[in-house]
Amino acid sequence: MIQSKLPNVGTTIFTTMSQLAAQSGAINLSQGFPDFDGPQALREAVGRHVMAGHNQYAPMTGLPALREQVAAKIARSYGRQVDMDSEVTITPGATEAIFCAVQALVRPGDEVIVLDPCYDSYEPSVELAGGRCVHVPLALPDFSIDWQRLADAVGPRTRLIMLNSPHNPSGALISRAELDQLAALIRGFDIYLIADEVYEHLVYDGVCHASVLAHEELYARAYVVSSFGKTYHVTGWKTGYVVAPPLLSAELRKAHQFVTFCGITPLQWALADYMAAYPEHVDELPAFYQAKRDLFCDRLAESRFTFTRAAGTYFQLADYSAIRPDLDDVAMAEWLTREHGVACIPISVFYQQPPADLRLVRFCFAKREETLRQAADRLYGV
Ligand SMILES: Cc1ncc(COP(=O)(O)O)c(C=O)c1O
């Protein structure tokens, strides 16, 4: 018998709902991945690099050509000049970057503040490092930071705060003014940040993403994480990166070196080529996804679901109080999948202690137009 180090971890809701969607023949708007492919030139580049013999280990920190493109993009998007050698690390997915950043920082007995609802990989990473998550709920209905509760949670054991903006599952954004407020709150404390910005380019209605990379004071103590999977519609490539000041990067690399050592070589070559040839890809993403959001939401607005349009990410929350107030959100997600053929995610699973009257489910709109139309039509009939 082994005593589990992660006794609370079971099958994730994403697996459960995707399986239920398949069994029920439902349209799967549950798990967060596109039902369309990444750019053709990007996919062709992988084949080219595989055939050109780029199939052995990449450098531990990532291919220089890709780190150079990441640094160039950061300069363009956020006005920060980062050093590609000492500050940029390519990782097998944002998840690995987050895991390694946590291992680099968290010691047994340390506390890590997470803002609920939060992404499901944070807590197991902290627990495996011997730390403990302190859950601070975001304020409803807009999922903004509850400053009083956050200030109350900060203490002598606090080592790290996990931020996620644009936010999964709510689609909410952290503003520049809120980053300033956070900087003021932790000034003088030995507290670090992981800024999970995997949806950095999925921000709508003309709003600019307030990246920690553009915040001088916060960046000095931050790991900023992103994902090529989200930005280039290739989640299955599990390729991401983390940007941090040199000393923090050096510590993270000590973990990364022995978790995976490096990311996948031909994928890194292909991404470097594509980013160099099509730097405008990231600028086109907001309009691309906003059109999908609006297609889905315009139809949903005629249904009995109520919602505020997502400010970022490719997730749309919807309140079902007017439809089945008797069901909790897990039961609602199952009912919608089985009876109405649309799979979604209940958001209580992103909480340690979900609010009792939560009646929200999450739909992923990273889908083709016909998928979104069909799903919205079904939801209209609920
Ligand atoms: C908030 C958040 N962070 C991290 C990730 C993981 O990204 P990757 O697939 O690059 O590991 C996801 C993926 O869904 C996410 O939603």
Side-chain angles (χ1 to χ4, degrees):
M1 277 298 281
I2 57 163
Q3 196 181 359
S4 177
K5 292 178 74 178
L6 297 171
N8 300 325
V9 171
T11 307
T12 73
I13 189 71
F14 308 103
T15 306
T16 306
M17 291 311 301
S18 284
Q19 279 170 355
L20 187 60
Q23 280 163 18
S24 320
I27 300 169
N28 190 359
L29 303 192
S30 63
Q31 215 171 343
F33 57 80
D35 71 346
F36 49 90
D37 240 328
Q40 186 171 340
L42 175 62
R43 290 180 285 125
E44 283 172 354
V46 179
R48 237 185 8 259
H49 284 290
V50 167
M51 295 318 289
H54 290 146
N55 301 305
Q56 309 310 328
Y57 294 126
M60 182 270 280
T61 58
L63 211 64
L66 183 55
R67 283 187 283 110
E68 185 183 346
Q69 287 304 320
V70 169
K73 190 207 73 176
I74 288 169
R76 253 194 343 268
S77 297
Y78 306 121
R80 169 172 294 282
Q81 305 293 330
V82 294
D83 178 50
M84 60 174 254
D85 291 323
S86 61
E87 294 179 82
V88 180
T89 308
I90 308 298
T91 59
T95 311
E96 199 253 16
I98 292 165
F99 184 82
C100 293
V102 169
Q103 305 314 307
L105 288 174
V106 176
R107 295 191 174 85
D110 283 348
E111 291 180 354
V112 176
I113 295 178
V114 297
L115 304 174
D116 280 1
C118 78
Y119 188 60
D120 61 350
S121 86
Y122 302 162
E123 186 146 27
S125 303
V126 170
E127 288 180 351
L128 286 173
R132 186 175 79 85
C133 279
V134 175
H135 293 260
V136 175
L138 292 166
L140 293 173
D142 60 355
F143 295 89
S144 57
I145 294 174
D146 183 332
W147 290 101
Q148 191 53 54
R149 291 186 84 152
L150 181 57
D152 291 346
V154 172
R157 287 176 181 274
T158 309
R159 180 75 169 158
L160 174 64
I161 298 176
M162 308 283 302
L163 290 184
N164 173 212
S165 176
H167 181 245
N168 175 12
S170 75
L173 308 177
I174 295 177
S175 69
R176 170 70 199 205
E178 288 175 301
L179 292 183
D180 290 341
Q181 205 166 342
L182 180 66
L185 178 69
I186 61 176
R187 200 169 289 144
F189 289 93
D190 187 25
I191 294 176
Y192 295 84
L193 296 177
I194 293 178
D196 179 346
E197 300 188 0
V198 298
Y199 300 104
E200 61 177 325
H201 298 296
L202 278 57
V203 176
Y204 313 124
D205 305 313
V207 175
C208 285
H209 167 54
S211 175
V212 167
L213 285 165
H215 198 286
E216 203 59 36
E217 188 178 350
L218 289 182
Y219 178 66
R221 47 168 91 204
Y223 289 104
V224 183
V225 175
S226 192
S227 172
F228 297 109
K230 312 291 179 189
T231 302
Y232 296 96
H233 322 306
V234 286
T235 58
W237 289 15
K238 288 300 283 187
T239 302
Y241 62 87
V242 49
V243 186
L247 286 176
L248 287 177
S249 289
E251 283 307 307
L252 171 130
R253 288 169 179 181
K254 290 179 190 173
H256 163 69
Q257 173 155 263
F258 297 114
V259 174
T260 52
F261 185 74
C262 65
I264 295 170
T265 305
L267 300 184
Q268 294 190 50
W269 276 107
L271 285 161
D273 283 1
Y274 190 80
M275 287 177 80
Y278 302 98
E280 67 278 13
H281 172 90
V282 294
D283 306 323
E284 292 165 356
L285 275 184
F288 174 80
Y289 271 117
Q290 187 171 325
K292 292 186 181 299
R293 180 198 68 174
D294 289 342
L295 174 74
F296 182 63
C297 286
D298 286 350
R299 184 73 170 135
L300 200 64
E302 295 163 11
S303 76
R304 292 193 292 157
F305 288 93
T306 55
F307 59 88
T308 306
R309 285 176 200 233
T313 75
Y314 46 49
F315 301 115
Q316 179 62 53
L317 292 186
D319 187 310
Y320 61 88
S321 308
I323 303 168
R324 289 296 305 265
D326 56 314
L327 296 183
D328 67 24
D329 63 350
V330 174
M332 179 67 183
E334 287 171 3
W335 181 75
L336 269 184
T337 308
R338 285 208 180 91
E339 303 299 323
H340 293 276
V342 182
C344 57
I345 294 287
I347 79 153
S348 59
V349 301
F350 296 83
Y351 279 91
Q352 182 192 41
Q353 191 75 57
D357 49 353
L358 203 67
R359 292 289 179 270
L360 292 171
V361 289
R362 188 197 79 176
F363 298 103
C364 173
F365 58 79
K367 305 294 167 189
R368 286 169 291 144
E369 277 188 18
E370 59 266 33
T371 313
L372 291 172
R373 269 205 197 92
Q374 218 186 350
D377 279 348
R378 291 184 186 183
L379 294 172
Y380 174 73
V382 174

